[in-house]
Amino acid sequence: MNTVYIVDAVRTPFGRHGGALAGIRPDDLAAHVVKALAERNGVEAPDEVILGNANGAGEENRNVARMAALLAGLPVTTPGVTVNRLCGSGMEAVIQAYRMIALGDASTVIAGGVESMTRAPWVLPKPDRAFPAGGQELVSTTLGWRLVNPQMPAEHTVPLGEGAELIADRHGIARAEQDAYALASHQKAAKASFEREIVPIGGLTRDESIREDTGPDQLARLKPVFRPGGTVTAGNSSPLNDGAAALLLTDEAGLRGREPLARIVAGAAGALEPRYFGLGPVEASRRALARAGKGFGDLASAELNEAFAAQVLGCLAELPDLDPAIVNPDGGAIALGHPLGASGARVTGTLAHRLAAAGSGTGLASLCIGVGQGLAVVLER
């Protein structure tokens, strides 16, 4: 098995829904990071481009990885494939690239993900019979369940925010605790520097959802969104976002004297009841660390994607050996944003840059996935 290195990782700043990146197509967002990554690392023709995308119903519909490779000016002989594991799609792309290189099927791969939640289209289902007399309903593809199979048990299709409420119920996580976590995410993100990884686009140079001026009073005034009298609000949830991220992975021969950020030593998936999807990182992280021959005590840093504050706090409650002090030291998706297909690549790239800056250490990146899954990767420097 070949050792697999992360040479570099880049991403766009993450834009707010309807914000600075609203006018940029998702395939152009993807092409931007692919081109930037290839140019700053002198890569003319990677063996493969693998990108994650959770929607696939809009302007990214024609295999956005292949579209991005062509738009980025890579040779037409560069293959591209798009993968979908919903919120974990970007990390799934990285894991597939890792396995491809480890097995010797490729030497250099660009892997990442993209999502424009602003530009996610409405879809019109085909009618059950020809020429219906009544009106037809458009369905938004921005987030969550749509066109649900009537045979799917109702408990599997609860809204994502209600899933976060269920986790808060299970672990007794109060509204104040969730708000405090969200506030800390914004405060840490406001102080952090992502200069090593961000490639500006559309006039945007930093993540647009960071609110350095927010405070406990502002968060406390927000009303629950998913349940009357509930605890989950817009303030302690990740926002809707647009953005893209990409990593350059290679084997020993592909390093060509370059100093890598880190190496990938393991990856794993887990699954559980869909309504408790937010706890997906728990089993995925345990499996990935076991495959790496590591424990939570061996970690120097961890990235746990923040879909909801309740979800992160629930994971920490179920992972008592994971030190909360090393989790998301530069803030997370509540502040930085969560463009679904890009987030898995973002947390992996951010972790790789942090390990490189430290000079050594073992790191874990993980995230929850709608419909009850989780993904995790273990990196070493």
Side-chain angles (χ1 to χ4, degrees):
M1 300 286 284
N2 295 320
T3 301
V4 182
Y5 299 95
I6 298 174
V7 177
D8 198 4
V10 302
R11 66 179 179 92
T12 68
F14 288 169
R16 292 179 185 171
H17 186 271
L21 304 185
I24 303 177
R25 292 171 54 111
D27 46 4
D28 286 327
L29 289 172
H32 183 72
V33 292
V34 169
K35 183 177 182 179
L37 188 67
E39 287 183 347
R40 84 181 199 180
N41 290 281
V43 175
E44 296 181 358
D47 297 313
E48 184 80 76
V49 174
I50 308 175
L51 295 182
N53 179 252
N55 196 316
E59 295 158 334
E60 72 280 77
N61 74 89
R62 293 289 290 170
N63 183 3
V64 71
R66 174 62 172 167
M67 298 300 102
L70 293 172
L71 290 166
L74 296 181
V76 296
T77 52
T78 304
V81 61
T82 303
V83 298
N84 186 345
R85 204 192 278 263
L86 298 181
C87 306
S89 299
M91 187 177 287
E92 177 68 22
V94 172
I95 291 174
Q96 290 199 21
Y98 155 67
R99 291 172 178 160
M100 181 180 290
I101 296 170
L103 290 172
D105 289 338
S107 174
T108 300
V109 178
I110 291 176
V114 63
E115 206 77 48
S116 175
M117 301 180 80
T118 298
R119 299 178 72 87
W122 294 286
V123 296
L124 179 66
K126 284 193 173 180
D128 294 331
R129 61 184 180 83
F131 313 115
Q136 298 294 305
E137 182 180 359
L138 290 170
V139 179
S140 173
T141 67
T142 301
L143 178 70
W145 290 91
R146 77 291 302 250
L147 307 180
V148 178
N149 190 317
Q151 298 185 70
M152 186 68 70
E155 65 268 23
H156 290 350
T157 63
V158 299
L160 299 174
E162 175 59 19
E165 292 279 13
L166 291 171
I167 293 171
D169 291 344
R170 172 182 281 193
H171 289 286
I173 304 169
R175 163 75 181 272
E177 189 178 359
Q178 296 175 50
D179 285 354
Y181 183 90
L183 177 60
S185 183
H186 282 283
Q187 291 173 335
K188 289 185 286 188
K191 295 177 182 177
S193 172
F194 298 100
E195 185 178 356
R196 299 184 303 274
E197 57 195 82
I198 283 183
V199 286
I201 184 173
L204 193 61
T205 60
R206 71 190 297 267
D207 298 302
E208 200 175 11
S209 294
I210 300 173
R211 296 181 181 274
E212 56 269 8
D213 58 346
T214 194
D217 292 340
Q218 292 96 316
L219 290 169
R221 284 196 292 268
L222 297 173
K223 295 181 179 180
V225 177
F226 299 97
R227 181 194 293 182
T231 62
V232 179
T233 72
N236 56 40
S237 308
S238 61
L240 306 179
N241 295 94
D242 310 326
L247 292 81
L248 179 62
L249 279 63
T250 193
D251 55 17
E252 190 79 37
L255 284 177
R256 294 177 296 150
R258 294 174 296 198
E259 182 70 20
L261 300 177
R263 64 184 181 276
I264 302 178
V265 292
L272 72 168
E273 286 185 74
R275 58 183 164 171
Y276 291 110
F277 76 97
L279 300 175
V282 174
E283 185 59 27
S285 297
R286 289 173 176 156
R287 290 180 182 179
L289 284 168
R291 290 176 185 175
K294 301 288 184 179
F296 288 100
D298 296 314
L299 297 175
S301 186
E303 283 287 318
L304 175 54
N305 194 55
E306 299 170 354
F308 299 90
Q311 164 260 321
V312 177
L313 292 167
C315 288
L316 292 174
E318 297 197 11
L319 295 172
D321 295 331
L322 175 58
D323 181 2
I326 69 169
V327 176
N328 302 348
D330 297 317
I334 289 174
L336 303 175
H338 183 16
L340 306 180
S343 291
R346 198 281 298 173
V347 295
T348 308
T350 295
L351 178 64
H353 277 292
R354 186 177 303 125
L355 292 176
S360 64
T362 300
L364 171 74
S366 63
L367 72 173
C368 67
I369 302 167
V371 203
Q373 297 190 83
L375 272 184
V377 294
V378 179
L379 308 183
E380 284 187 347
R381 168 73 182 197

